Amino acid sequence: MAEVRFENVRKVFPGETVAVDEFTLTIQDGEFMILVGPSGCGKTTALRLVAGLEKPTSGEIAIDGRVINDLTPRDRDIAMVFQNYALYPHMTVYRNLAFGLKQRKVPKDQIDRRVSEASTMLGLDDLLKRRPAQLSGGQRQRVAMGRALVREPKAFLLDEPLSNLDAKLRVQMRAELKQLHHRLGITTIYVTHDQVEAMTLGDRIAVMSAGRLQQVGAPQDVYDHPVNMFVAAFIGSPAMNLLRGTARDGRITAGDLTVPVAGVPDGEVVLGLRPEGLRPSSDGQPSLEFEVQVVEPLGDEVIVHGTVSGQLAEIETGEEKAEIPAGLPGSRAVITARFDPQVRPAPGTRMALGVVPERVHVFDARTGTAIR
């Protein structure tokens, strides 16, 4: 096990494409760190820099206090699990697990011991004589994990290892990965674009956008206290609703909603409303008129999409601007609410959505940084 440290790391590809920019992050010994962000944010490049598959343009990367910028991948003592499993199709499961150890000339008795321990831990004992084509997706993923595990590395690097699995199997493998990490305690860096994986797996998450680190913290802390609009909109499913508003005398007005929010300076702001924080209005509660458009009953909850008066906020992601969620033509803004299963409004109806002032988020309209 070992600490992994990025210090002002920058990676520029030919054509002046900046993939990682001034990236500073420390992954503690034994920590499960998630790098999360949209496609193209630089998270996989950061992982490849640790693995030695890419070389930083500037800055330092260290493992266990030793700078590894100029070390070959072979000399870094890390193990990587790829998105596509990368198993040898002509080899049995046993030979796939043992291949890396044989290349390093590990004695046969040690190879047998390590393969046996890993296969038992991952439930592969009955599959050792099969080839990858005879395995399911989940079994192949376990073999890929086992091949990394037998190395007994200082750190695991996982690049979206569950993205090729179906939804039910992803949930199962998430639980297995978490149990495996608790059992082994090996420093792990896990790359994903799926914020649900990030929230459920990581000890901490590092949110990236346009090559830059936006926020690092425990999953619940990042969800509860996003530092800017990008993090607020990216972490959470469905995404946070972001409406342009005006603060004046301790109150914020956004469309037909007026909500008391103490400590916010007068001026243009962005009001953030989590879908799960919106409910059919009760008497005396700040509310906004909601026109229902689409209802998605999911069994344990109901997701409702509709429009309200007002304007959506734009999110600065670095090179382009994107609205989250996307708006429809006209002067109304599309927002999303999450209701209990017994609340199922009909499309086309209008209802008042109540807002709890203590649960709203407020951002500076110019910089996008959180005010509260």
Side-chain angles (χ1 to χ4, degrees), residues 35-73:
L35 302 184
V36 63
S39 297
C41 73
K43 56 188 184 295
T44 294
T45 300
L47 197 73
R48 290 171 63 86
L49 288 169
V50 179
L53 303 178
E54 303 288 352
K55 189 171 182 179
T57 305
S58 61
E60 288 186 349
I61 301 172
I63 296 179
D64 205 15
R66 180 189 184 190
V67 177
I68 61 169
N69 289 33
D70 296 323
L71 291 183
T72 65

Side-chain angles (χ1 to χ4, degrees), residues 49-355:
L49 288 169
V50 179
L53 303 178
E54 303 288 352
K55 189 171 182 179
T57 305
S58 61
E60 288 186 349
I61 301 172
I63 296 179
D64 205 15
R66 180 189 184 190
V67 177
I68 61 169
N69 289 33
D70 296 323
L71 291 183
T72 65
R74 180 187 183 96
D75 296 327
R76 297 190 180 202
D77 197 12
I78 53 89
M80 190 164 181
V81 179
F82 297 91
Q83 179 178 349
N84 62 355
Y85 316 138
L87 302 178
Y88 297 105
H90 63 288
M91 293 185 182
T92 63
V93 169
Y94 177 92
R95 291 180 62 198
N96 266 284
L97 294 174
F99 182 78
L101 300 179
K102 289 182 178 179
Q103 292 296 103
R104 288 167 176 78
K105 302 187 184 305
V106 175
K108 188 176 186 309
D109 61 333
Q110 290 191 36
I111 293 176
D112 290 339
R113 175 185 60 81
R114 293 192 196 181
V115 169
S116 176
E117 290 175 352
S119 66
T120 298
M121 189 180 302
L122 295 169
L124 299 173
D125 287 345
D126 296 333
L127 308 175
L128 292 177
K129 295 182 180 180
R130 296 188 188 181
R131 288 181 168 80
Q134 299 171 296
L135 305 177
S136 68
Q139 290 168 339
R140 292 180 194 179
Q141 189 58 68
R142 288 193 185 95
V143 176
M145 287 294 302
R147 188 174 56 187
L149 187 61
V150 297
R151 290 271 312 280
E152 298 181 356
K154 289 183 177 178
F156 280 144
L157 309 179
L158 293 91
D159 186 10
E160 304 202 41
L162 308 184
S163 60
N164 289 334
L165 305 179
D166 61 52
K168 183 176 181 180
L169 195 51
R170 279 202 304 271
V171 173
Q172 177 185 335
M173 287 299 297
R174 281 205 306 263
E176 292 181 3
L177 273 174
K178 200 160 189 175
Q179 290 174 356
L180 187 63
H181 180 261
H182 286 163
R183 193 179 311 160
L184 300 176
I186 295 178
T187 306
T188 302
I189 308 175
Y190 185 107
V191 161
T192 182
H193 66 275
D194 186 338
Q195 54 89 29
V196 174
E197 284 184 12
M199 292 291 292
T200 56
L201 276 174
D203 296 327
R204 288 192 300 159
I205 62 177
V207 185
M208 296 182 66
S209 173
R212 287 184 172 268
L213 188 61
Q214 300 293 312
Q215 186 173 357
V216 183
Q220 195 63 45
D221 288 342
V222 174
Y223 176 87
D224 290 336
H225 308 289
V227 298
N228 57 37
M229 288 166 54
F230 176 85
V231 176
F234 190 81
I235 298 297
S237 181
M240 181 185 289
N241 303 297
L242 298 171
L243 298 173
R244 290 192 173 277
T246 303
R248 184 169 290 109
D249 299 330
R251 305 176 76 82
I252 295 177
T253 301
D256 60 5
L257 171 68
T258 299
V259 56
V261 182
V264 176
D266 290 356
E268 298 302 309
V269 297
V270 172
L271 193 65
L273 306 172
R274 291 280 185 199
E276 54 271 28
L278 299 173
R279 290 289 185 273
S281 178
S282 57
D283 292 340
Q285 188 178 30
S287 63
L288 63 170
E289 187 182 62
F290 181 61
E291 183 176 347
V292 177
Q293 292 187 330
V294 178
V295 179
E296 299 177 339
L298 300 178
D300 60 336
E301 63 183 7
V302 176
I303 305 298
V304 183
H305 307 275
T307 63
V308 296
S309 65
Q311 184 180 3
L312 292 172
E314 293 179 335
I315 297 181
E316 182 64 57
T317 61
E319 296 185 1
E320 61 180 354
K321 292 183 177 180
E323 288 185 346
I324 302 179
L328 294 179
S331 60
R332 295 176 67 82
V334 177
I335 71 168
T336 302
R338 172 184 278 161
F339 295 156
D340 293 331
Q342 62 271 21
V343 180
R344 195 173 303 182
T349 60
R350 290 178 177 260
M351 61 187 300
L353 286 183
V355 175

